């Protein structure tokens, strides 16, 4: 048959296959790379063979959608207010595992609190699902006629949400998430203790005694951004000074925690003979000095603890998780350095040289990562798994509760925010209109105003939830 006499259906098929072939090799749009590596088979009829004519319309629709998305994202990043910062920033968007758009994806940037994603993912990889942190009250022996002849040891197990009820009322999270330390005092009373002849000894030696990162701004502790870090942390190792919740950091965290617990005991009618002190490095391990466990209180499961860290961007809890990661790692050392090494070992599965940090919260401006790493770690998590569930929801919860309320993106984006002077970041997942798995990471550095970064992050979220935003398959189909 002469070429100009092809039937209409055959001509349409050839055009469709040709167009899809172009999309399948990658298209450059205004400096944008469209990576077709992502498979769209999840939204196609499973009864049709891979190269079936029936698949072509939907394959073409997704390919067109990917190209449109890349072009729209380029427009967002071309915001004039972002021009000067763009060369210092990074962005990656993935659809179904393939990169649709990347701008400086492998550029090292200051992540701010999106670093918590790596801290949380590492902790979840080292701590068994459902595991809880334990805080123990121990003594040399069980009480005799209600009396503990020696000391009572309060032994910290790394619970970052150990709080008194009055402190919980000053926090953004639900009181139910906190571990109520008063319940441990109740358990001690229920065990028959009426008098402690010795002291209450606070033992936080599960972790080291380095309370903060040297390079942090001093104002972080003074303003309550982060508390002194230790394995026995009651009320984030802060003391409430007035009804507005003004806080000051503990000077001697284990002693202050012991004093808080002693006060709770006294309020319950238990006399404490020798006050409170912190365990000394020269003291034997608590299991030796106080082999009898009198009472134990447990935290929420690790998944809920991680949710607190990510939803409310809890810096103190993030730093405790980092040290716990070090304690759980082969180093068996509850230090920030060991925790950073544990994160490094975890991210080595994705990239060997795109992460450098000194903390777990992202407070330090020397922290560095890439958007490619963030996106790859997010994509590597189980869909709907613990990390994804722990992220705040756009327009509904945590640090995203006030963003895009009432917008189509509200309720469809789970992401971690980040903010420092000149830094604004957003990384997470989006539920697309086409039921695709969208992962993204945006980190703006060198911003004249963080409001610009917030605006860009919001626009990215809005574009992703609309994907593929292309003509219906029927309009591209064959007769």
């Amino acid at each position: 048959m002469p070429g100009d006499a092809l039937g209409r259906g055959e001509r349409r098929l050839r055009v469709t296959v040709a167009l899809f072939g172009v999309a399948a090799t990658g298209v450059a749009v205004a400096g944008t790379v469209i990576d077709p590596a992502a498979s769209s088979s999840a939204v196609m009829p499973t009864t049709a063979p891979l190269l079936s004519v029936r698949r072509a319309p939907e394959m073409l629709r997704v390919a067109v959608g990917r190209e449109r998305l890349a072009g729209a994202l380029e427009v967002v990043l071309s915001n004039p207010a972002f021009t000067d910062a763009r060369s210092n920033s990074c962005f990656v968007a993935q659809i179904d595992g393939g990169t649709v758009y990347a701008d400086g994806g492998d550029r090292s940037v200051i992540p701010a609190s999106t670093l918590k994603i790596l801290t949380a993912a590492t902790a979840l990889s080292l701590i068994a699902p459902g595991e809880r942190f334990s805080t123990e009250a121990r003594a040399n022996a069980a009480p005799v006629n209600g009396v503990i002849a020696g000391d009572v040891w309060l032994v910290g197990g790394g619970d970052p949400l150990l709080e008194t009820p009055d402190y919980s009322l000053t926090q953004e999270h639900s009181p139910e998430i906190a571990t109520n330390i008063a319940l441990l005092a109740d358990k001690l009373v229920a065990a028959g203790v009426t008098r402690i002849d010795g002291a209450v000894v606070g033992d936080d030696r599960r972790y080291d005694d380095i309370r903060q990162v040297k390079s942090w701004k001093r104002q972080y502790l003074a303003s309550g951004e982060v508390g002194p870090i230790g394995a026995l942390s009651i009320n984030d190792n802060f003391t409430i000074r007035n009804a507005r919740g003004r806080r000051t950091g503990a000077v001697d965290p284990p002693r202050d925690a012991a004093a808080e617990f002693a006060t709770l005991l006294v309020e319950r009618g238990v006399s404490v003979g020798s006050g409170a002190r912190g365990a000394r490095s020269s003291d034997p391990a608590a299991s030796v000095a106080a082999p009898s466990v009198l009472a134990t209180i447990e935290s929420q499961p690790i998944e809920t603890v991680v949710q607190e860290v990510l939803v409310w961007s809890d810096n103190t809890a993030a730093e405790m998780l980092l040290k716990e990661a070090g304690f759980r790692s082969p180093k068996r050392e509850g230090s920030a350095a060991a925790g950073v090494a544990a994160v490094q070992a975890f991210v080595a599965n994705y990239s060997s040289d795109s992460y450098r940090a000194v903390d777990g919260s992202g407070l330090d401006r020397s922290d560095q990562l890439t958007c490619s790493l963030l996106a790859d770690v997010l994509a590597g998590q189980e869909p709907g798994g613990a990390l994804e569930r722990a992220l705040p929801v756009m327009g509904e919860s945590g640090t995203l509760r006030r963003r895009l309320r009432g917008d189509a993106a509200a309720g469809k984006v789970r992401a971690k925010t980040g903010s420092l002077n000149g830094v604004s970041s957003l990384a997470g997942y989006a539920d697309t209109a086409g039921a695709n798995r969208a992962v993204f990471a945006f980190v703006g550095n060198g911003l004249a105003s963080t409001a610009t970064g917030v605006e860009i992050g919001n626009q990215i979220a809005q574009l992703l939830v609309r994907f593929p935003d292309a003509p219906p398959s029927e309009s591209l189909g064959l007769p």
Side-chain angles (χ1 to χ4, degrees), residues 276-298:
R277 71 173 179 89
R280 298 176 286 264
S281 59
S282 58
D283 286 333
S287 58
V288 175
S292 178
V293 177
L294 305 178
T296 301
I297 190 170
E298 293 187 329

Side-chain angles (χ1 to χ4, degrees), residues 156-189:
D159 184 351
L161 303 181
L162 201 59
E163 297 175 3
T164 56
D166 57 343
Y167 184 80
S168 294
L169 294 176
T170 71
Q171 302 305 293
E172 293 178 303
H173 60 237
S174 170
E176 288 77 21
I177 292 179
T179 311
N180 185 355
I181 184 62
L183 297 180
L184 185 62
D186 291 339
K187 286 187 174 184
L188 212 59
V189 171

